[in-house]
């Protein structure tokens, strides 16, 4: 399919209806591949979720994708690192360039907020996601945070600004 040229990315609040519906669909897809214990959700009841940046991708007014960035200041405050979370494009809109555009949009948001690096976790049964991240300069890193010891997890990182 041809890349979508008229995709709109809207930064939304954590309680945005479209964001929540997309995340429910993402979780349903992940449950087809993994046991529920290995799905790392965002706890929307945690007040720290307000520190996250969420985006919804719209094509012709329809919500088709989402993603989030969470500050990881607990790792090393001087590192200025964010984690990519809940990155998803609806199966009906894949292979159209939406994920690439959304990833670049979120990287721009991280840079604008003064962050230097993005880390992420994906699963071993998601070759499409792995391919996207590697294609855009993400490199394998050691498992971090809650993913340490999870045999289904792979972690990647990308430096946005060299020091």
């Amino acid at each position: 399919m041809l890349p979508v040229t008229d995709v709109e990315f809207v930064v939304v609040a954590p309680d945005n209806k479209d964001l929540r519906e997309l995340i429910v669909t993402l979780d349903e897809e992940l449950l087809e591949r993994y046991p529920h214990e290995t799905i790392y959700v965002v706890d929307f009841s945690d007040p720290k979720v307000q520190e996250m940046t969420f985006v919804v991708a719209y094509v012709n007014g329809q919500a088709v994708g989402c993603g989030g960035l969470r500050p990881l200041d607990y790792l090393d405050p001087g590192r200025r690192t964010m984690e990519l979370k809940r990155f998803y494009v609806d199966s009906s809109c894949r292979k159209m360039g939406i994920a690439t555009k959304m990833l670049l949009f979120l990287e721009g948001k991280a840079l604008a907020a003064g962050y230097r690096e993005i880390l992420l976790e994906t699963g071993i049964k998601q070759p499409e996601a792995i391919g996207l991240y590697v294609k855009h300069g993400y490199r394998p890193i050691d498992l971090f945070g809650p993913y340490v010891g999870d045999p289904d997890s792979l972690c990647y990182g990308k430096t946005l600004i060299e020091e």
Side-chain angles (χ1 to χ4, degrees):
M1 292 195 178
L2 296 174
V4 172
T5 55
D6 58 344
V7 62
E8 178 185 12
F9 299 106
V10 179
V11 175
V12 299
D15 63 352
N16 177 274
K17 180 179 177 284
D18 292 334
L19 173 71
R20 295 295 188 95
E21 288 175 1
L22 286 162
I23 288 174
V24 166
T25 305
L26 164 61
D27 289 343
E28 289 169 353
E29 285 190 23
L30 290 174
L31 281 170
E32 294 174 9
R33 299 183 192 205
Y34 304 100
H36 69 88
E37 303 86 39
T38 61
I39 297 174
Y40 296 96
V41 300
V42 170
D43 179 0
F44 285 99
S45 67
D46 183 343
K48 288 189 76 73
V49 81
Q50 297 301 322
E51 298 173 11
M52 293 182 69
T53 299
F54 291 100
V55 65
V56 173
Y58 291 93
V59 174
N60 299 325
Q62 179 182 352
V64 299
C66 64
L69 291 169
R70 172 170 51 199
L72 289 181
D73 295 334
Y74 74 89
L75 287 179
D76 177 354
R79 240 169 107 183
R80 303 293 293 157
T81 302
M82 292 195 111
E83 179 182 10
L84 183 69
K85 292 290 295 178
R86 314 312 284 157
F87 192 84
Y88 174 74
V89 173
D90 185 86
S91 59
S92 67
C93 294
R94 293 187 185 147
K95 305 230 182 263
M96 301 171 81
I98 296 169
T100 292
K101 289 181 179 188
M102 186 164 56
L103 184 62
L104 296 173
F105 180 87
L106 286 165
E107 287 178 2
K109 287 292 181 192
L111 278 168
Y115 286 86
R116 293 180 154 87
E117 176 181 44
I118 295 179
L119 306 182
L120 63 89
E121 181 271 346
T122 191
I124 59 172
K125 298 176 185 174
Q126 292 170 263
E128 319 86 353
I130 294 165
L132 173 74
Y133 300 134
V134 169
K135 176 180 174 182
H136 292 286
Y138 288 79
R139 298 290 171 245
I141 60 171
D142 291 337
L143 298 180
F144 64 93
Y147 317 115
V148 173
D150 184 343
D152 288 332
S153 286
L154 298 170
C155 290
Y156 291 82
K158 179 178 180 178
T159 302
L160 303 174
I161 298 176
E162 295 292 337
E163 295 187 56

